[in-house]
Amino acid sequence: MKNIILIFGIALLASCAQEKIGYVDNVKLMDEFQQKIDVEAKFKVKADALAKKRDSISQAFQKEAQAFQTKAQKMSQSKAQEEYAAMQQRGQMIGQQLQQQDQQLQMEGQTEMDSIVSKVKEEIKAYGKSKGYSYILGGGDGGSVLYGTEANDLTDEIVKLLNDKYKK
């Protein structure tokens, strides 16, 4: 009887010693996370608006340059060169302003994406703790999981969890 209890105790300890491991497909997770999709859509709208603004400014500047060329033929050479230099300088300033706006938009987008990635990591960590996982690995492109059974794939569960929390 003591042997049976001892064997049962050893078996119980051995089963407790096994680590619970799961993995998440990082690419799929981010592609299906609604907050990330919404942020990308918001920044696409902003980028499109900036592109329209750039095109509009560029067209207006080209018209002005064409008008200047016609006007420059009637000016003295020194006066034409002076106005041409001023126009070039203004064109460079406009280009720099547009470039700064592009960079600012990219930085804003990167900041929001970094925030989303941090949020996802925290949620995965909390999920792992609450479900008793020792490890949750990252898979997909650039991930560390080369193979995993579907039973250990937590991607869909975590996407659902993230999207449910985002909707609230």
Side-chain angles (χ1 to χ4, degrees):
M1 184 72 170
K2 286 184 179 181
N3 287 342
I4 292 174
I5 293 174
L6 182 62
I7 291 172
F8 180 71
I10 292 172
L12 184 62
L13 285 174
S15 68
C16 289
Q18 287 183 344
E19 306 253 352
K20 193 172 177 183
I21 300 173
Y23 71 92
V24 176
D25 182 333
N26 297 325
V27 175
K28 181 179 178 185
L29 177 73
M30 293 307 284
D31 284 347
E32 295 180 8
F33 183 27
Q34 191 61 47
Q35 184 177 4
K36 184 223 176 221
I37 293 167
D38 292 348
V39 166
E40 283 181 336
K42 178 177 83 172
F43 278 94
K44 183 175 180 348
V45 168
K46 287 182 177 184
D48 290 347
L50 187 58
K52 285 180 183 177
K53 179 180 177 181
R54 183 183 307 109
D55 290 346
S56 174
I57 290 171
S58 177
Q59 287 175 355
F61 191 75
Q62 285 177 348
K63 285 181 183 177
E64 190 177 327
Q66 288 172 347
F68 171 73
Q69 284 180 338
T70 304
K71 183 178 162 186
Q73 292 173 356
K74 299 174 185 171
M75 296 180 174
S76 69
Q77 188 173 358
S78 62
K79 180 72 174 165
Q81 285 177 343
E82 184 180 308
E83 285 195 31
Y84 179 74
M87 181 176 258
Q88 267 188 321
Q89 188 176 19
R90 213 172 90 248
Q92 287 174 347
M93 283 179 37
I94 290 170
Q96 287 172 350
Q97 287 173 344
L98 291 172
Q99 187 176 15
Q100 285 175 345
Q101 289 174 355
D102 267 344
Q103 288 172 345
Q104 182 179 359
L105 185 62
Q106 287 175 0
M107 285 175 46
E108 285 176 30
Q110 189 61 50
T111 300
E112 280 207 47
M113 285 302 176
D114 289 348
S115 173
I116 289 172
V117 169
S118 293
K119 178 181 182 177
V120 167
K121 286 180 180 179
E122 287 299 314
E123 288 295 334
I124 291 172
K125 185 177 178 181
Y127 176 89
K129 282 183 179 181
S130 72
K131 300 289 185 173
Y133 281 90
S134 300
Y135 301 97
I136 296 180
L137 307 172
D141 291 342
S144 59
V145 176
L146 301 177
Y147 171 76
T149 62
E150 285 191 36
N152 294 339
D153 186 354
L154 307 173
T155 307
D156 292 335
E157 291 175 53
I158 293 178
V159 166
K160 183 177 178 347
L161 173 79
L162 287 167
N163 285 335
D164 287 349
K165 283 189 174 188
Y166 176 63
K167 289 175 187 173
K168 289 180 181 180

